């Protein structure tokens, strides 16, 4: 089917737009003053009408057919197809029968952000745009840097100077142009918009560029391919700006539209207690613009969820829910997952699991649960260190080793 039948749609007012380089927000609904606010007028990709119920149940589908850029424009770096791991030790420990960890930390740059960067890079290639700008607390930046390097494009990164070192190292290693900002993510976000306006470079900011939600939907396509069309009851995922949330929901809705899925699983967004802007908006229908985040889970630490309005509407539409986990619960969950599954994810990802632990008494034991682990733990070793105790050095003497280890049988 022809790719040009994909369009952008504003779900607030129903306006549709052609998918073009300089089209980011809905002209009718966009807020004149973007600074420090959730974005109004976020666009989503609308699948061509001809796709409706085009895939019969159990038929296989190729996610590239449902993306608005042809496969030939995508970089060669392999993004997605991440592990879907049955967590048998965790099931046994908690008394559940079916818990699966979907580990997106195995993406090339170590996070789910690669799914969005991959599509944005392909779009830029198709439109012969050589430079891509992004503001990020770290993962979107390192992701864009790596994917752009693979595609031979330039990445220009606006990053708070406080971002974890490993993420900065990744950006520089991939050869991106990095502009560390003496300010928070929100300051970097707004500055990057001004910069792309002046230069005409493509902006990949999360939420703002509609292809970020679209790229992230691919994780839902994989979950359905891996679990079966009606194989999941609950999906837990972390929420920062809410783009993963909207992407995952968009993926399931698209799958329903094409006829590959009937019932959308219960979606549970998890936020850090110290970054609960989205949680309060969901329950109080009100955005507190003076909110200041404070959590150790840096990838979900945002003052203003840029995709806030859209994500709240999306989550309500599918009857989902939001829970909070504090930093200690998140770090404990991070360690627990590692020790019972062999997966080392970063704190923001462990938040998904911490949210599941908080809700588990309300979930029947036989339910099929997918926990989305969005990023690799090695990206933020400093935080992981907080929940570890380091053993003292031992003399190189076998008797001393035996003594320090304690009974071995
Ligand atoms: C960006 C990110 C999140 C949060 O995603 P949003 O789309 O901002 O809600 C969670 N985990 C990791 C590892 C991330 O990089």
């Amino acid at each position: 089917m022809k790719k040009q039948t994909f369009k952008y749609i504003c779900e607030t007012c129903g306006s549709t737009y052609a998918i073009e380089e300089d089209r980011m927000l809905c002209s009718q609904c966009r807020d004149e003053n973007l600074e420090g606010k959730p974005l109004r007028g976020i666009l989503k990709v609308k699948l061509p009408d001809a796709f409706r119920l085009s895939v019969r149940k159990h038929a296989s589908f190729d996610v590239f057919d449902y993306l608005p850029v042809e496969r030939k424009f995508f970089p060669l770096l392999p993004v997605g197809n991440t592990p879907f791991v049955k967590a048998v030790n965790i099931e046994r420990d908690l008394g559940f029968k079916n818990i699966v960890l979907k580990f997106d930390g195995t993406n090339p740059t170590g996070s789910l952000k690669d799914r969005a960067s991959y599509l944005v890079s392909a779009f830029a290639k198709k439109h012969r745009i050589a430079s891509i700008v992004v503001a990020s607390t770290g993962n979107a930046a390192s992701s864009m840097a790596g994917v752009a390097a693979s595609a031979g494009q330039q990445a220009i990164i606006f990053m708070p100077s406080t971002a974890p070192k490993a993420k900065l190292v990744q950006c520089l290693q991939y050869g991106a142009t990095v502009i560390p900002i003496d300010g928070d993510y929100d300051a970097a976000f707004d500055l990057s918009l001004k910069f792309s306006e002046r230069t005409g470079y493509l902006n990949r900011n999360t939420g703002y560029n509609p292809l970020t939600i679209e790229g992230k939907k691919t994780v839902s396509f994989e979950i359905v391919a891996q679990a079966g069309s009606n194989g999941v009851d609950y999906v837990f995922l972390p929420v920062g700006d809410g783009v993963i949330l909207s992407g995952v929901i968009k993926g399931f809705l698209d799958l329903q539209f094409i006829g590959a899925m009937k019932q959308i699983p219960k979606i549970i967004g998890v936020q850090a207690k110290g970054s609960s802007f989205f949680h309060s908006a969901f329950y109080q229908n009100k955005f507190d613009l003076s909110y200041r985040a404070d959590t150790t889970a840096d990838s979900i630490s945002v003052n203003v969820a840029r995709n806030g309005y859209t994500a709240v509407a999306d989550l309500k539409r599918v009857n989902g829910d939001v829970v909070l986990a504090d930093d200690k619960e998140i770090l404990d969950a991070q360690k627990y997952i590692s020790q019972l599954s062999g997966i080392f994810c970063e704190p923001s990802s462990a938040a998904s699991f911490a949210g599941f632990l908080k809700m588990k008494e309300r979930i029947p034991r036989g339910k099929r649960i997918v926990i989305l682990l969005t990023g690799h733990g090695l990206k933020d070793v400093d935080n992981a260190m907080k929940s570890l105790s380091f053993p003292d050095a031992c003399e190189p003497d076998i008797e001393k080793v035996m003594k320090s280890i304690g009974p071995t049988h």
Side-chain angles (χ1 to χ4, degrees), residues 146-223:
V147 173
S150 163
Q153 295 157 334
Q154 181 196 20
I156 300 164
I157 313 273
F158 290 77
M159 190 187 244
S161 53
T162 54
K165 273 280 175 304
K167 297 177 183 181
L168 173 63
V169 167
Q170 275 186 296
C171 294
L172 296 171
Q173 176 73 20
Y174 292 129
T177 304
V178 177
I179 303 155
I181 302 299
D182 226 353
D184 59 13
Y185 171 54
D186 300 279
F189 191 101
D190 293 324
L191 210 55
S192 80
L193 294 190
K194 288 180 187 152
F195 180 78
S196 41
E197 236 161 66
R198 285 218 188 160
T199 55
Y201 296 163
L202 186 64
N203 191 296
R204 181 225 177 271
N205 281 9
T206 193
Y208 178 69
N209 185 325
L211 298 177
T212 54
I213 292 180
E214 189 66 8
K216 290 179 178 183
K217 84 175 184 184
T218 59
V219 72
S220 299
F221 277 65
E222 280 173 30
I223 289 172

Side-chain angles (χ1 to χ4, degrees), residues 113 139 216 238-244 299-300 346 348-349 374-375:
K113 296 286 192 293
N139 283 342
K216 290 179 178 183
V239 180
D241 278 308
V243 173
I244 293 179
S299 300
I300 50 172
E346 66 167 90
S348 53
S349 313
T374 45

Side-chain angles (χ1 to χ4, degrees), residues 334 380-390:
Q334 184 188 25
D380 185 6
V381 171
D382 288 349
N383 265 315
M385 280 167 62
K386 290 181 189 162
S387 65
L388 301 176
S389 56
F390 289 82

Side-chain angles (χ1 to χ4, degrees), residues 16 109 155 162 315 318 330 390:
T16 59
T109 79
T162 54
L315 195 59
V318 297
I330 290 172
F390 289 82

Side-chain angles (χ1 to χ4, degrees), residues 318-368:
V318 297
N319 195 24
D321 206 348
V322 202
V323 290
L324 296 176
D326 66 29
D327 283 1
K328 177 164 188 321
E329 290 165 331
I330 290 172
L331 293 176
D332 288 349
Q334 184 188 25
K335 195 166 154 190
Y336 177 85
I337 302 163
S338 294
Q339 300 189 351
L340 274 82
S341 76
I343 290 174
F344 182 19
C345 65
E346 66 167 90
S348 53
S349 313
S352 297
F353 197 87
F356 164 65
L357 289 178
K358 297 205 80 161
M359 265 194 77
K360 74 175 174 14
E361 300 315 325
R362 289 185 269 154
I363 302 175
R365 303 281 143 140
K367 292 288 182 199
R368 297 157 304 176

